[in-house]
Amino acid sequence: EEFMDVVSTKSEQTYGKDKQSVVVVDTGAKNAILRNIREIGYKVIKVPWNTPIEKILSYKPKGVVISNGPGDPQKCPETVEAVKSLIEKNIPTLGICLGAQIIGLAGNADTYKLKYGHRGQNKPCLNLDNNQVYVTSQNHGYCINPESLEKSDFDLWFSNTDDKTVEGIKHKKQKCIAVQFHPEASPGPYDCKFVFEELKNLMEEGKSAKK
């Protein structure tokens, strides 16, 4: 929480004029995330990290992104509560980095602090959907506990090939996905921009991103 007041926006900000919008809950969002959402064709409404669900829904978003940011996801209980409602209402939601951990907590997984953290632009992650390894850009100190996934509402989506940590999750039933790395690729590899396309699929097709 001590970080959130520093890194999060104090008021809502709107980018673009597209008809349909994606709400970005700002827990320290990188501008590249906003650019990527604009690139897939949506207006971005960036809101403070502790925005309540009623306010998020008032924008009638096509989807919601829980952004990256610093610190311990367990110190963002307001954001976790909002995500629980988003999952329940099946509003397409993507979590990135800290946002992934917040989504994990909202779906009954646990998080823990890594000894050294993952920091760098060349972390290999295996996509369990297609058995392909992607090079990812990462900067995080906390992680989702893999054992806790078994009793959670999520399936494993990406796994770190070096240390087998959880790098991505997909909700078993609802339109909710999350990645631990930075798909927005600034700076770093462009391998994972497809994650934004996955969100678009969830928003447009009305079905889950599972092929």
Side-chain angles (χ1 to χ4, degrees):
E1 201 166 290
E2 60 273 26
F3 287 125
M4 285 307 136
D5 294 331
V6 179
V7 299
S8 182
T9 181
K10 299 284 180 281
S11 57
E12 68 197 57
Q13 293 166 306
T14 303
Y15 305 86
K17 294 199 164 54
D18 301 85
K19 250 199 346 262
Q20 295 179 315
S21 59
V22 169
V23 167
V24 174
V25 178
D26 178 16
T27 46
K30 295 194 346 191
N31 288 334
I33 292 176
L34 312 181
R35 280 201 303 273
N36 275 277
I37 296 168
R38 300 277 306 108
E39 274 171 28
I40 59 170
Y42 298 88
K43 179 166 75 181
V44 172
I45 302 168
K46 185 165 87 167
V47 300
W49 69 279
N50 53 359
T51 302
I53 186 68
E54 297 73 27
K55 184 82 175 138
I56 294 172
L57 295 176
S58 73
Y59 299 111
K60 303 199 167 29
K62 193 80 178 158
V64 177
V65 173
I66 314 296
S67 84
N68 60 298
D72 184 344
Q74 296 181 20
K75 292 192 174 144
C76 303
E78 292 92 328
T79 324
V80 172
E81 280 312 304
V83 171
K84 282 183 180 168
S85 296
L86 290 169
I87 293 173
E88 202 180 310
K89 296 177 189 332
N90 210 16
I91 291 163
T93 303
L94 163 67
I96 295 174
C97 199
L98 176 69
Q101 299 151 23
I102 287 169
I103 281 179
L105 290 172
N108 301 317
D110 303 324
T111 55
Y112 67 100
K113 193 172 184 358
L114 290 161
K115 190 170 176 192
Y116 298 114
H118 288 166
R119 315 203 186 275
Q121 292 172 14
N122 57 354
K123 304 283 183 192
C125 294
L126 176 68
N127 178 344
L128 300 178
D129 278 0
N130 60 8
N131 238 13
Q132 201 172 329
V133 171
Y134 294 85
V135 174
T136 69
S137 170
Q138 298 196 14
N139 184 13
H140 63 100
Y142 290 81
C143 227
I144 294 167
N145 179 340
E147 277 87 66
S148 75
L149 266 192
E150 287 161 30
K151 57 182 195 314
S152 79
D153 304 333
F154 294 101
D155 290 324
L156 185 64
W157 181 18
F158 282 90
S159 174
N160 187 304
T161 57
D162 290 337
D163 60 10
K164 299 292 177 272
T165 45
V166 174
E167 296 285 3
I169 55 177
K170 278 189 177 182
H171 200 282
K172 287 178 176 152
K173 296 191 285 292
Q174 307 289 67
K175 294 184 232 176
C176 179
I177 57 175
V179 291
Q180 191 53 69
F181 46 81
H182 287 278
E184 69 280 0
S186 295
Y190 284 87
D191 284 26
C192 291
K193 282 173 94 78
F194 73 88
V195 169
F196 290 99
E197 293 295 331
E198 289 276 332
L199 174 66
K200 186 170 184 170
N201 291 344
L202 291 182
M203 295 193 287
E204 297 302 334
E205 293 168 16
K207 56 179 189 276
S208 84
K210 286 198 173 149
K211 297 289 176 282

